[in-house]
Amino acid sequence: MSRFLLIGPPGAGKGTQAVLLSQMLSIPAISTGDIFRSNVKNETELGRLAKAFMDAGDNVPDSLTNELVRARLVEDDSVAGFLLDGYPRTVDQVRELDEFLASRDEALDLVIELVADPEVVIARLSKRATEQGRSDDTEAVVRHRLEVYAEQTEPLIDIYSSRGVLVKVDAIGTVEEVTARIADALAARGISVPEPDSAAG
Ligand code: B4P
């Protein structure tokens, strides 16, 4: 079992936890947000197309997103497993991912939902705005991102829940506390997670 998805509202800690879990589980973390940000930074054609959507807090169109995830998932390091962070986040993206994984006789093993109160995530992202200056972390844009999450991504929770692969994890607490809760949730499903120190060695 090593095909995972981290899902949750903006600021719930997906990116933060994905980096830690990827090290602990020795699988790549694949973040569509990071891929888009790197394309924006490097001024590629994809970055040029994605930037306006990201700055407004809207999802980048599925036509741009699906293709890049497919390309990433066929890379050698993803064959044995992966941790998706922020993809899929629309019902169409679920369909696309299902089709792709089915073509390899695979499916997601576990979907980890990070549950966080909107006011907490707004506070976290406002802090990040002052630290990193991300253009989509202003309060107005964050509120819009939360609406987009509620409309377009929350329906995925029911989809994965009905498949019996969803686990909910409380994302309020320190980063270490949340990581420990995820590790417990994985352990409860028979997936052992080495301690960060032993995974690093
Ligand atoms: P993402 O990069 O996915 O942005 P995000 O939802 O804010 O998550 P992120 O990983 O950055 O933040 P995290 O919660 O870890 O997407 C950005 C944009 O890209 C989207 O709006 C969209 O335009 C586009 N996009 C991405 N994927 C797409 C897709 N599949 N389809 C269409 N469009 C797509 O952390 C937030 C902050 O909280 C951090 O500063 C962190 O330090 C802090 N934090 C984390 N855990 C904490 C804790 N326990 N306590 C205190 N602070 C914590």
Side-chain angles (χ1 to χ4, degrees):
M1 292 242 287
S2 51
R3 285 177 286 271
F4 305 120
L5 160 66
L6 271 173
I7 194 167
K14 299 182 299 289
T16 307
Q17 296 299 330
V19 170
L20 296 167
L21 290 168
S22 138
Q23 288 166 359
M24 291 157 74
L25 295 162
S26 301
I27 51 174
I30 300 174
S31 157
T32 38
D34 282 352
I35 296 172
F36 285 133
R37 275 187 292 281
S38 139
N39 276 275
V40 170
K41 193 170 162 220
N42 295 321
E43 299 180 351
T44 67
E45 177 64 7
L46 175 63
R48 195 184 60 73
L49 293 169
K51 187 174 187 315
F53 295 99
M54 297 177 76
D55 286 350
D58 287 316
N59 281 335
V60 176
D62 292 342
S63 55
L64 298 176
T65 312
N66 288 325
E67 193 56 40
L68 78 87
V69 176
R70 269 181 184 253
R72 181 65 186 83
L73 288 177
V74 295
E75 285 181 30
D76 287 349
D77 67 341
S78 308
V79 174
F82 51 77
L83 174 64
L84 289 169
D85 158 15
Y87 179 95
R89 60 167 116 211
T90 65
V91 172
D92 274 350
Q93 289 180 12
V94 172
R95 238 175 259 134
E96 182 76 18
L97 179 67
D98 283 349
E99 201 179 286
F100 173 76
L101 292 177
S103 74
R104 304 203 305 195
D105 280 330
E106 294 173 358
L108 286 179
D109 297 309
L110 200 66
V111 176
I112 303 155
E113 180 193 359
L114 293 181
V115 182
D117 180 83
E119 293 310 315
V120 172
V121 305
I122 289 168
R124 282 183 188 174
L125 295 178
S126 304
K127 184 163 174 266
R128 183 169 70 183
T130 57
E131 290 167 356
Q132 295 178 19
R134 233 172 85 168
S135 54
D136 58 348
D137 279 346
T138 62
E139 181 164 342
V141 175
V142 169
R143 288 196 186 274
H144 181 62
R145 284 161 66 197
L146 284 166
E147 285 166 12
V148 170
Y149 177 81
E151 278 167 26
Q152 300 189 25
T153 309
E154 252 175 20
L156 277 54
I157 304 294
D158 283 346
I159 294 175
Y160 288 120
S161 179
S162 68
R163 293 182 190 177
V165 293
L166 185 86
V167 58
K168 287 182 187 287
V169 172
D170 178 7
I172 307 299
T174 65
V175 170
E176 295 75 19
E177 283 166 350
V178 177
T179 309
R181 284 178 206 143
I182 297 173
D184 287 348
L186 293 174
R189 280 155 189 79
I191 305 157
S192 75
V193 183
E195 290 297 313
D197 284 344
S198 54

